[in-house]
Amino acid sequence: VIDGTEQKALFITGKSHCDRSADDCGGGGLSQYRVVQYLCQSEYAEYGGSAKFFFRGIRLFWADVFETDDAAAADQTEDSAEAAGTESSAASGDTVTIGFAQVGHESDWRTASTDSCLSVFSADNGYDLQFVDCDNDSAVQLEAVRGFIEQDVDYIIIDPIVSTGWDTVLTECEEAGIPVIVIDRTIDDSDKYVSWVGSNFKTEGLAAGEWLKAYTGAKGISDVNVLVIEGSTGASATIGRTDGFKEIADANGWNILDSQTGDFTQAGGQEVMESYIKSYEGKFNVVVCQNDNEAFGAMDAMKAAGISYGVDGDVILVSFDACTAGLEYVMSGDINADFECNPLAAPFVEEVIKQLQAGETPEKEVYMTEHWFVNEDVLSTINVNGEDQDLTVVTKEIVDAQY
């Protein structure tokens, strides 16, 4: 309310993209991302990460987007809001503030990972979660982490887009006294984080290879010609799955015809598969996709080209992630096998935070439980790294229980 008149404002929670038109933003022609980027660039140096910066930013946003000249009224709103913010912060008591720099929103798996954090680190559970969708832009992710440092959050969670280029910003976190917890993908050029929570990506790749070895043996298939659709270049999930699978392929003399990135997206998977079909038509009998969304795209491409795949098809289709939609395709026989990458890291992260708050030292690496899913019961186990591991035949109950 300004001068007794109720007016509408857009509250911006983070550097997220939106599809709102200029009209939706009061005719200012600024997307949500551009507004926050503008506020950060123009106000950050002068006001730092304080409440003063945020509410000064709201005043600028109001003036720029809604073309309001009433600076005095805006300043009054700024002062009132800043006082309210201080009061709310003091009243919050034990509220734990967490900054989370997420990779993006490129897949069903990523959405499940984000939802897990939003659910666990909710206000009802005593948390104030500052979430940034970095849209697969590593520069934006580094900026987001530095923004969390300026906000003086209690903890920072990072799912790194790439595995290198982190030492400088993690040193800044360390100097600020803010513990960092890494989830999912790994950081290879620094150890300045308290814990990493996630999956062993190379083991996933090894498991896929061991399954294909046992499956082709059981089916009497001796000639194995593979096309691989990789994940995002430089991502630790891509590196681990590629290295693990290739280790088994090389040991068994399989022919990997080609391996290109589909960037963990359905559109990317379809585009690469369409290219493969033109180049290798009739020459391949296995397609390995490094996540479910890429597999969905590959299925679309093969279906359009009249190529049969899955159980009883001409092409064995292998996937990773094992999201709900992926398991539905395993159950229907369109995907032969799907190797789980558990996205629900947040409960494990919360346990790390509780250990830190109790003065304990958490494990440096925390591995989550994962499963290997198949359509057929021709195999019950596979041997991975010298250990027998169970294969799970997908049922409707399993699909319904999955993320």
Side-chain angles (χ1 to χ4, degrees):
V1 177
I2 298 178
D3 289 342
T5 302
E6 188 176 86
Q7 302 186 31
K8 184 185 291 185
L10 173 63
F11 183 74
I12 300 176
T13 58
K15 289 172 67 174
S16 58
H17 291 274
C18 73
D19 296 323
R20 292 177 175 170
S21 67
D23 289 340
D24 293 330
C25 291
L30 294 174
S31 71
Q32 200 177 59
Y33 174 82
R34 291 299 301 166
V35 170
V36 177
Q37 184 183 55
Y38 167 73
L39 296 181
C40 289
Q41 289 175 345
S42 62
E43 295 299 301
Y44 185 80
E46 184 176 356
Y47 293 103
S50 66
K52 177 79 171 178
F53 153 70
F54 179 77
F55 292 108
R56 169 70 174 173
I58 290 296
R59 182 168 71 81
L60 284 176
F61 170 73
W62 187 278
D64 285 354
V65 178
F66 293 96
E67 299 178 356
T68 297
D69 295 325
D70 193 345
D75 280 334
Q76 182 179 357
T77 303
E78 172 189 327
D79 294 339
S80 299
E82 184 173 355
T86 303
E87 184 177 292
S88 174
S89 177
S92 65
D94 296 329
T95 298
V96 176
T97 303
I98 298 174
F100 177 26
Q102 175 63 289
V103 169
H105 49 273
E106 76 286 351
S107 65
D108 293 353
W109 189 98
R110 188 68 55 201
T111 299
S113 172
T114 296
D115 289 346
S116 175
C117 280
L118 292 175
S119 175
V120 170
F121 299 117
S122 66
D124 288 343
N125 291 338
Y127 296 98
D128 175 13
L129 180 65
Q130 304 298 313
F131 173 79
V132 178
D133 180 330
C134 299
D135 200 23
N136 272 296
D137 188 327
S138 56
V140 169
Q141 192 166 49
L142 291 173
E143 290 176 6
V145 174
R146 289 192 168 100
F148 296 148
I149 295 172
E150 292 297 330
Q151 293 174 47
D152 194 25
V153 299
D154 297 312
Y155 300 93
I156 294 175
I157 302 171
I158 302 171
D159 191 335
I161 295 170
V162 294
S163 59
T164 58
W166 284 102
D167 190 63
T168 299
V169 73
L170 290 185
T171 299
E172 293 169 19
C173 293
E174 187 176 68
E175 291 172 349
I178 302 175
V180 174
I181 301 164
V182 179
I183 66 170
D184 178 28
R185 302 178 183 181
T186 59
I187 289 175
D188 296 341
D189 62 350
S190 179
D191 61 355
K192 295 170 184 173
Y193 53 89
V194 295
S195 285
W196 167 84
V197 177
S199 307
N200 190 320
F201 301 122
K202 184 172 182 181
T203 296
E204 292 173 0
L206 289 169
E210 293 290 4
W211 173 83
L212 184 60
K213 172 186 172 182
Y215 183 78
T216 53
K219 293 287 187 176
I221 301 171
S222 57
D223 193 18
V224 178
N225 299 290
V226 187
L227 290 170
V228 178
I229 302 180
E230 297 180 8
S232 300
T233 302
S236 57
T238 300
I239 296 168
R241 291 168 188 167
T242 300
D243 290 349
F245 182 81
K246 189 174 185 301
E247 183 176 315
I248 304 302
D250 290 347
N252 289 276
W254 299 339
N255 184 19
I256 297 182
L257 298 167
D258 210 336
S259 187
Q260 298 180 22
T261 177
D263 211 23
F264 285 134
T265 67
Q266 184 165 339
Q270 181 172 347
E271 181 179 352
V272 172
M273 194 67 235
E274 288 171 348
S275 175
Y276 281 166
I277 290 170
K278 292 177 183 178
S279 300
Y280 304 103
E281 184 176 3
K283 299 178 181 178
F284 63 93
N285 59 352
V286 178
V287 173
V288 176
C289 299
Q290 290 189 350
N291 81 339
D292 286 335
N293 290 81
E294 289 180 339
F296 304 157
M299 289 161 56
D300 291 339
M302 287 190 284
K303 186 179 297 183
I307 298 172
S308 62
Y309 53 85
V311 177
D312 298 326
D314 292 331
V315 175
I316 298 169
L317 184 56
V318 178
S319 185
F320 294 85
D321 280 1
C323 66
T324 299
L327 291 189
E328 288 174 343
Y329 281 119
V330 175
M331 187 169 65
S332 68
D334 293 289
I335 295 175
N336 296 79
D338 206 341
F339 296 84
E340 185 178 37
C341 179
N342 189 345
L344 309 182
F348 296 86
V349 174
E350 184 179 39
E351 183 59 32
V352 170
I353 290 173
K354 289 179 178 178
Q355 289 176 325
L356 291 170
Q357 289 178 316
E360 301 171 4
T361 302
E363 295 290 330
K364 190 70 173 180
E365 295 181 340
V366 179
Y367 288 97
M368 298 185 293
T369 302
E370 296 176 324
H371 304 86
W372 317 137
F373 296 102
V374 295
N375 171 274
E376 303 167 273
D377 61 359
V378 295
L379 303 167
S380 59
T381 63
I382 54 175
N383 190 278
V384 183
N385 288 326
E387 175 187 349
D388 286 338
Q389 299 185 7
D390 292 334
L391 298 172
T392 301
V393 176
V394 177
T395 64
K396 188 176 185 305
E397 291 72 24
I398 290 173
V399 172
D400 291 342
Q402 194 68 341
Y403 67 88

